[in-house]
Amino acid sequence: MFKLDTIISLAKRKGFVFQSSEIYGGLNGCWDFGPLGVELLRNYKEAWWKEMTYRDNIEGLDASILMHPRTWEASGHTKQFSDPMIDNKTSKSRHRADNLIEEFIEKLKNKKKEALALEIETELIKVQKNEDYYNIIMNYEIPDPISGTKDWTEVRNFNLMFKTFVGPIEDESSIVFLRPETAQGIFVNFKNVMESARQKVPFGIAQIGKAFRNEINTKNFLFRTREFEQMEMQYFIKPGNEVEQFEYWKNERMRWYENLGFKKEKLKFKKHEKLAHYADNAADIEFEFPFGFGEIEGIHSRTDFDLKAHQEFSGKKMEYVDTVNQERFVPYVIETSGGVSRGVMALLCNCYDEEKLVDENGKEDTRVVMRFTNALAPIKAAVFPLVNKDGMPELATLIYKDLQKSFKVEYDTSGAIGRRYRRQDEVGTPFCITIDGESVSENTVTVRHRDSMKQDRLSVENLKAYLFEHLNK
Ligand code: GAP
């Protein structure tokens, strides 16, 4: 397991991820994707989009971020989308009470105090109200990680939605919220999509977009941020089919992560003990990050909670009319909800590798390799003239310009060829194409494979077809 700091440092150095507004000292919980990060992010989203919408019965949608404020009353977010917050009076630090307890439990486990950890874990599952969190913190004398004191305020609710105003007047009537999940844009468009796309239940709606949560504590790089992207799919079904469909989508989503190159042993399901206000069943797909297992996607059985609530609050019918069986019902929903930035962070951790090499003289070396699958790699191929003379740069440029019409390709002339290979290994480029003396006389190139480091020699005219074939594997 590599350290998170190693991955963060590579992400910054190579232009995957930068701190937001870094020159001003950064803005907590916000990150920017650099040139390679944005390619990776796009490839990741594209893989999901193809997986979910290139089917008969799942349609795409791109709803607005700002929605009518009644949306959030109906969905329950205005009242219930809050986290329990506690402040330490000495350090003035602010914590999520449940996270504070969970982190304390982890520390106990690391110190092999399993029995006490289990006792507190059992108490945590039973929590009903804020006072219960407070009692656990006081009874088990959980200290502030910063000051070490147990000088706590009571636990209060903190609503996570960001507020802003529409129009020039900043009063109660102009308040709107930045959406905390993309899902509600799908629910309110359920009928529009079904009717315009002539779909019948069961069918789904998929969407990728930004969501915002004013998290009490942001942490662990892209894991918990205040601005992030989600890729969500709501699958509308006939009530009574939810158990079978929940299992189906759990397995479909796990298969997707595995096919994307996530290591099987780093993925697992975690069933929810405590359910959100809208769900009757829920499980997370967790990935093993350097700091332990954490959720990357949630699969929720949301019943008819959302559609019924929107029906009540808007006064518009959200029923489905099954003309064949002469039935009417408000559909149940199975939701798959993945984080894009959190998923990309998991991918960086999953693909980072350090490989020990020994050259023919017995000299040891370490090569850093990002083992992205071809479909996800930000740069598909790099083109190198071996030296900057003897017709090599001219031929290399021709090849580079031609490949650029089809793929994201890089051109690099600087430094020894070995160093150029290493630069591409670090960012996960699957193929390096070298133009040498033989290339000029014979119209051939070498193609070096990132993982095996083996080289093939092939004619320039076959190069593009060769890359197409390998990149589509
Ligand atoms: N519509 C259901 C929903 O939003 P969620 O479990 O709150 O469910 C789904 O969020 C996914 O969104 C999570 O699995 C995670 O990948 C991502 N996510 C949630 N909060 C996040 C945050 N603060 N920062 C980054 N990703 C987040």
Side-chain angles (χ1 to χ4, degrees):
M1 181 72 76
F2 300 102
K3 288 202 174 104
L4 185 56
D5 280 350
T6 311
I7 287 145
I8 298 176
S9 141
L10 178 129
K12 175 163 187 207
R13 195 162 34 87
K14 290 292 170 182
F16 283 97
V17 183
F18 308 125
Q19 204 182 5
S20 162
S21 357
E22 193 186 75
I23 58 167
Y24 292 103
L27 180 66
N28 214 339
C30 300
W31 298 87
D32 298 342
F33 287 88
L36 293 187
V38 72
E39 289 293 332
L40 184 62
L41 203 67
R42 288 172 66 109
N43 294 343
Y44 190 76
K45 289 189 279 187
E46 185 62 15
W48 184 86
W49 192 252
K50 281 188 180 159
E51 167 78 11
M52 300 308 263
T53 69
Y54 287 18
R55 305 178 183 233
D56 294 340
N57 69 345
I58 299 187
E59 305 289 346
L61 179 75
D62 191 352
S64 62
I65 288 173
L66 301 177
M67 298 179 69
H68 194 287
R70 293 276 284 167
T71 310
W72 308 111
E73 287 173 38
S75 67
H77 283 81
T78 314
K79 273 208 183 126
Q80 299 186 55
F81 193 59
S82 55
D83 279 338
M85 174 177 78
I86 190 164
D87 291 324
N88 183 271
K89 291 181 198 159
T90 308
S91 69
K92 307 274 181 270
S93 62
R94 181 159 280 183
H95 304 267
R96 249 177 78 171
D98 52 343
N99 287 169
L100 184 73
I101 300 168
E102 280 160 4
E103 279 158 21
F104 186 67
I105 293 171
E106 277 314 302
K107 278 187 196 142
L108 289 175
K109 284 185 184 164
N110 291 339
K111 288 187 197 156
K112 305 269 176 269
K113 296 187 177 171
E114 301 286 350
L116 185 57
L118 186 67
E119 188 182 317
I120 306 177
E121 231 161 21
T122 314
E123 291 294 312
L124 191 57
I125 292 169
K126 287 193 269 176
V127 167
Q128 300 279 346
K129 47 190 188 312
N130 286 341
E131 213 184 312
D132 301 335
Y133 287 119
Y134 182 78
N135 289 339
I136 296 178
I137 292 168
M138 297 317 267
N139 292 347
Y140 291 97
E141 301 190 338
I142 298 180
D144 174 28
I146 296 164
S147 66
T149 68
K150 292 142 202 161
D151 193 12
W152 296 111
T153 62
E154 81 277 26
V155 177
R156 289 154 294 151
N157 276 338
F158 176 74
N159 193 293
L160 300 183
M161 285 200 293
F162 277 101
K163 260 187 211 165
T164 187
F165 302 93
V166 281
I169 298 166
E170 297 190 3
D171 64 12
E172 278 290 309
S173 66
S174 62
I175 291 177
V176 289
F177 299 94
L178 303 189
R179 67 180 176 200
E181 61 170 12
T182 58
Q184 297 305 324
I186 291 181
F187 289 122
V188 300
N189 277 297
F190 156 69
K191 281 230 150 161
N192 283 340
V193 174
M194 183 172 67
E195 285 164 11
S196 59
R198 297 192 296 131
Q199 284 290 355
K200 290 185 167 53
V201 167
F203 79 98
I205 305 178
Q207 170 167 229
I208 299 176
K210 289 257 174 163
F212 303 82
R213 295 183 189 177
N214 200 0
E215 299 283 357
I216 298 171
N217 296 122
T218 59
K219 65 172 182 183
N220 288 332
F221 191 36
L222 305 174
F223 187 81
R224 181 166 295 126
T225 56
R226 296 199 166 109
E227 176 179 340
F228 55 97
E229 257 184 310
Q230 288 186 314
M231 37 191 207
E232 296 200 298
M233 193 279 299
Q234 263 62 41
Y235 200 68
F236 300 92
I237 56 171
K238 188 175 168 186
N241 293 338
E242 60 275 16
V243 175
E244 174 207 329
Q245 287 293 328
F246 178 72
E247 282 308 313
Y248 172 80
W249 282 107
K250 257 176 67 185
N251 294 329
E252 279 288 279
R253 296 304 303 140
M254 183 60 102
R255 183 183 56 75
W256 184 75
Y257 284 104
E258 288 170 4
N259 289 346
L260 219 53
F262 279 96
K263 294 176 188 131
K264 268 189 177 185
E265 67 276 14
K266 285 188 167 286
L267 294 170
K268 68 173 188 193
F269 285 117
K270 185 177 178 194
K271 194 175 160 53
H272 282 211
E273 299 295 342
K274 266 200 229 154
L275 293 167
H277 61 273
Y278 51 71
D280 73 353
N281 200 356
D284 293 337
I285 295 179
E286 291 195 336
F287 172 79
E288 192 178 17
F289 289 95
F291 49 82
F293 273 96
E295 170 190 349
I296 50 174
E297 172 152 343
I299 296 100
H300 311 124
S301 174
R302 288 182 81 129
T303 69
D304 54 6
F305 175 88
D306 303 86
L307 288 184
K308 275 224 172 113
H310 288 303
Q311 180 167 276
E312 186 193 328
F313 278 71
S314 69
K316 301 282 183 322
K317 281 244 175 298
M318 289 288 177
E319 279 178 347
Y320 173 70
V321 182
D322 179 345
T323 46
V324 178
N325 297 313
Q326 307 284 320
E327 285 179 291
R328 279 170 182 272
F329 55 85
V330 175
Y332 268 36
V333 170
I334 303 298
E335 166 184 78
T336 68
S337 175
V340 178
S341 30
R342 196 183 280 186
V344 164
M345 173 183 167
L347 195 69
L348 290 170
C349 299
N350 178 78
C351 295
Y352 181 88
D353 195 13
E354 290 175 10
E355 191 181 327
K356 291 260 176 285
L357 299 175
V358 184
D359 71 11
E360 59 268 26
N361 304 318
K363 203 170 151 227
E364 286 191 7
D365 193 9
T366 304
R367 125 181 135 114
V368 172
V369 201
M370 272 291 181
R371 299 198 190 274
F372 298 129
T373 57
N374 293 348
L376 293 178
I379 299 167
K380 305 300 181 198
V383 180
F384 310 145
L386 185 62
V387 289
N388 280 321
K389 57 184 183 182
D390 303 333
M392 291 179 222
E394 290 78 3
L395 179 59
T397 309
L398 274 178
I399 292 172
Y400 167 63
K401 288 284 168 202
D402 184 43
L403 293 181
Q404 206 173 42
K405 291 179 198 150
S406 312
F407 314 109
K408 185 81 185 162
V409 205
E410 206 166 273
Y411 188 71
D412 189 2
T413 59
S414 74
I417 198 79
R419 285 188 64 80
R420 284 185 256 173
Y421 285 148
R422 293 297 171 83
R423 272 204 285 272
Q424 296 302 326
D425 290 344
E426 267 192 303
V427 299
T429 308
F431 301 104
C432 290
I433 298 151
T434 302
I435 287 79
D436 55 15
E438 204 177 317
S439 307
V440 179
S441 58
E442 307 291 327
N443 213 28
T444 59
V445 293
T446 62
V447 178
R448 182 252 196 194
H449 297 245
R450 179 194 69 204
D451 293 336
S452 65
M453 296 190 287
K454 295 230 165 70
Q455 297 190 15
D456 293 331
R457 184 169 280 276
L458 52 145
S459 73
V460 172
E461 62 185 23
N462 291 338
L463 176 64
K464 213 168 187 178
Y466 177 93
L467 289 180
F468 264 117
E469 189 200 325
H470 282 80
L471 287 169
N472 284 331
K473 270 185 188 164

